[in-house]
Amino acid sequence: MDEQYQKIAKMIDHSLLSPILTIPELEAGCQLALAYDVASVCIMPCYLKRCAEILEHSTVEPSTTVGFPHGGHTMLVKLREAEQALEDGCTELDVVVNLSRVLSEDWKYVETEIGLLTRTAHQAGQKIKVIFENCYLADKHKIELCRICSAVNVDWVKTSTGYGTGGATIEDLKLMREHTLPQVQVKAAGGIRTLDKLLEVRDLGVSRVGASATRDILNTCRERLKLPAITF
C-alpha cells in the first residue's frame, strides 16, 4: 500500500458513535474501516466486543468511549466502564473529563480521575485519549487539563466528543500542542470532514483525527495520489 496513503489513513479513528446506529451499520462501518485500513474504529461500548471480533488479525484497532458524552458519570462507574471495555478487547479508551468538576476547578478530583483511568489502561497494555470538550471551557481550563494529562502521562489529549456545541478549532489545537509534553499526542475531533482539513491540522502537530467522513477523505486522498479506488 502506498506509504503516503497509509500515513493519512492511520491518522483516522473511524467514528461509529451515533446513538441511533443499527447493527447492520455497525458491521458495514467496521468493514469500511478494514477496507481503507484506518487507525481505529471508535464504537459505542455495547458493540465493542463485536467490533473487536471483526477487526481481529487486522491493523485496525478497536476503541470505545468512557463517560460519553458529558463525562458526569461517577469515578467508580467510569472505572468499571474502562475495565469492561478492556475485557471486551478495547485497545484505545476515549475518556470524557468530568466537565462539571473542570468548570468548578476541582482539580484534585479531575487529576485523580484521569490518573486512575490512565493507570488502568496502561496496566492492561492499552492506550488512553482524554476528551476535553473544549467548546464549554475557557483557555485556563484547557491549559490546566494539558498540565494534568502530561503529569499522568496520557497518550492523547482530544478536543471534542463531536456531540457538544463545537468541534476542533485551530486555536485550540495550537494551545493543546503548546501546553502538553511532546510525548502526549493531540487528537482533533468534530468538524474534520475533508482531506484538506485533515492536512491542515496535521501541520499543527495533530496525530489523530476522529471522522465519520472517512470514505470521502480517503477517496480524495487516493485520487490525488493516483491510486486505484477502493470499491466498498
Side-chain angles (χ1 to χ4, degrees):
M1 186 172 290
D2 182 270
E3 184 178 355
Q4 291 302 313
Y5 170 81
Q6 194 166 39
K7 286 180 179 177
I8 298 296
K10 287 302 183 188
M11 285 184 64
I12 295 179
D13 290 343
H14 183 50
S15 178
L16 294 176
L17 294 172
S18 167
I20 57 171
L21 183 85
T22 64
I23 294 173
E25 289 169 338
L26 149 72
E27 303 270 350
C30 289
Q31 293 301 331
L32 184 148
L34 286 171
Y36 285 87
D37 197 22
V38 299
S40 85
V41 172
C42 194
I43 190 84
M44 288 187 286
C46 65
Y47 291 134
L48 176 61
K49 187 175 287 188
R50 177 58 184 144
C51 174
E53 289 173 353
I54 296 171
L55 301 181
E56 190 176 10
H57 306 307
S58 79
T59 62
V60 182
E61 304 288 341
S63 64
T64 195
T65 57
V66 172
F68 203 79
H70 304 306
H73 306 53
T74 65
M75 204 179 300
L76 184 60
V77 168
K78 281 179 157 174
L79 174 62
R80 187 65 195 106
E81 270 194 290
E83 291 171 339
Q84 182 67 58
L86 294 165
E87 290 172 18
D88 287 348
C90 182
T91 61
E92 295 180 359
L93 294 168
D94 285 45
V95 176
V96 188
V97 298
N98 188 314
L99 287 165
S100 176
R101 296 280 188 165
V102 170
L103 290 167
S104 301
E105 302 186 6
D106 187 355
W107 299 119
K108 183 177 180 181
Y109 182 98
V110 172
E111 184 161 355
T112 299
E113 181 177 88
I114 295 173
L116 174 65
L117 293 167
T118 300
R119 286 193 299 277
T120 301
H122 287 175
Q123 285 169 0
Q126 309 304 351
K127 296 179 179 177
I128 183 170
K129 309 179 187 104
V130 175
I131 306 171
F132 290 7
E133 199 67 302
N134 285 333
C135 59
Y136 299 120
L137 306 180
D139 283 355
K140 64 178 182 177
H141 302 127
K142 302 166 196 172
I143 290 169
E144 183 62 12
L145 282 170
C146 286
R147 184 199 67 76
I148 290 171
C149 288
S150 294
V152 304
N153 197 32
V154 309
D155 298 285
W156 280 271
V157 290
K158 176 177 170 182
T159 56
S160 322
T161 62
Y163 291 86
T165 57
T169 68
I170 297 301
E171 293 74 18
D172 280 342
L173 292 169
K174 287 179 178 176
L175 178 147
M176 292 167 79
R177 186 61 282 164
E178 179 182 353
H179 291 279
T180 47
L181 293 177
Q183 65 268 29
V184 178
Q185 301 176 70
V186 177
K187 175 178 172 180
I192 311 298
R193 300 186 181 91
T194 66
L195 176 61
D196 287 335
K197 190 66 179 180
L198 181 149
L199 295 174
E200 181 182 9
V201 300
R202 185 181 68 170
D203 288 344
L204 301 174
V206 168
S207 65
R208 285 283 184 93
V209 302
S212 54
T214 302
R215 189 201 310 255
D216 291 341
I217 293 171
L218 292 178
N219 280 347
T220 302
C221 179
R222 295 185 72 84
E223 288 170 9
R224 291 187 188 177
L225 294 170
K226 302 187 185 308
L227 296 173
I230 290 176
T231 55
F232 177 81

